[in-house]
Amino acid sequence: MAVIGFVKMDGMTKLLRHSFLVKIMLIYFLAASFPSQAQAQQPKAFVKGLKKYRKAQQKKYKNPDVSPVRDKAKIFPGLVFFPGDTAYRVAATLVPSQDTLPFLIPTSNPERPKEFVRYGYLEFELHGDSLRLAVYRLRRNGKVFGTSLFLPFNDATNGSTTYGGGRYLDLPLPKPGELVTIDFNRAYHPYCAYSDGWSCPIPPAENRLEVAVEAGEKLLEGWK
């Protein structure tokens, strides 16, 4: 009887262990299949603003009158994006540039470089890394053009999940001493990612990040 009792208890122990392992595997599967709470519960104002911005971008590409893809606008499948994430919306300190002389930035068309002035450097932290990117202002006919800062950059996603030629951001001019918000969720591809014939500035070497910025526009597979 003692032997039989031991066998029964051993079988029950194996059953309990099996049940425990099944529960652990189920929890792991569910955690891997669904977004984290931080991803699923982004602030409503952030989600609303980003949705509005992306809707406007989609509308622009679908409109043949203004679309960067020109006569292919009606068959353009639409832009694709990384999920919105406030972790990629960071505050940066602007360090004014000591060198304000105009210079040329090469474009995708070697015969058409574009003239810029370096406005300054934005210093910020992203996922614990201290980073720095230069911002520029476009010059036309010897004068600074526009009212925004141009931020072209490369990162570790280029050539895989984003366009190999990098991405851009447009930022409003800050007031003196004001922190600058960099929202990588609004990073967009140059027109060259979708259509030929454009002269797209190539991000300077000083704006090449070693980290992966998994935010903003993603590469549209099968297009062009």
Side-chain angles (χ1 to χ4, degrees):
M1 292 295 294
V3 174
I4 293 175
F6 176 78
V7 172
K8 288 182 178 179
M9 183 59 68
D10 185 64
M12 181 62 72
T13 301
K14 289 182 178 179
L15 180 61
L16 290 172
R17 286 179 178 175
H18 177 73
S19 177
F20 177 75
L21 289 173
V22 169
K23 288 180 179 179
I24 292 295
M25 291 176 66
L26 181 60
I27 292 172
Y28 177 82
F29 172 77
L30 290 174
S33 301
F34 293 94
S36 66
Q37 185 177 7
Q39 291 176 320
Q41 298 182 355
Q42 298 293 329
K44 289 184 179 179
F46 166 77
V47 173
K48 184 178 180 180
L50 185 60
K51 184 178 180 180
K52 181 179 179 181
Y53 167 79
R54 290 180 171 179
K55 184 178 180 179
Q57 289 293 93
Q58 296 282 24
K59 185 177 180 180
K60 173 183 174 182
Y61 271 81
K62 287 288 189 177
N63 183 349
D65 293 331
V66 295
S67 177
V69 296
R70 301 183 174 95
D71 58 337
K72 295 182 180 179
K74 291 185 178 181
I75 62 171
F76 186 70
L79 302 169
V80 291
F81 305 92
F82 287 98
D85 189 348
T86 52
Y88 286 100
R89 191 173 189 271
V90 299
T93 301
L94 174 65
V95 180
S97 176
Q98 300 300 313
D99 180 8
T100 58
L101 294 176
F103 68 102
L104 296 178
I105 290 182
T107 72
S108 52
N109 182 346
E111 297 180 359
R112 297 192 65 182
K114 294 187 177 182
E115 189 175 54
F116 289 86
V117 291
R118 186 179 291 101
Y119 188 81
Y121 293 92
L122 296 177
E123 297 180 344
F124 60 97
E125 287 195 2
L126 183 63
H127 298 323
D129 292 315
S130 295
L131 304 173
R132 173 167 138 147
L133 289 170
V135 283
Y136 313 94
R137 296 195 70 185
L138 180 65
R139 274 173 58 96
R140 287 182 180 173
N141 301 320
K143 296 182 179 180
V144 174
F145 178 81
T147 59
S148 62
L149 299 176
F150 179 54
L151 173 52
F153 70 96
N154 290 106
D155 70 277
T157 67
N158 295 160
S160 55
T161 53
T162 64
Y163 179 57
R167 290 179 291 169
Y168 303 156
L169 277 167
D170 297 317
L171 307 175
L173 282 170
K175 297 178 182 178
E178 181 182 37
L179 289 176
V180 178
T181 298
I182 305 176
D183 191 351
F184 287 104
N185 294 283
R186 301 193 180 204
Y188 63 93
H189 284 134
Y191 293 164
C192 297
Y194 306 107
S195 181
D196 296 325
W198 296 98
S199 299
C200 305
I202 299 171
E206 63 183 345
N207 275 12
R208 294 176 183 173
L209 300 176
E210 298 298 326
V211 300
V213 180
E214 296 180 317
E217 278 185 31
K218 295 179 67 175
L219 193 64
L220 181 58
E221 297 289 348
W223 180 258
K224 195 181 170 184

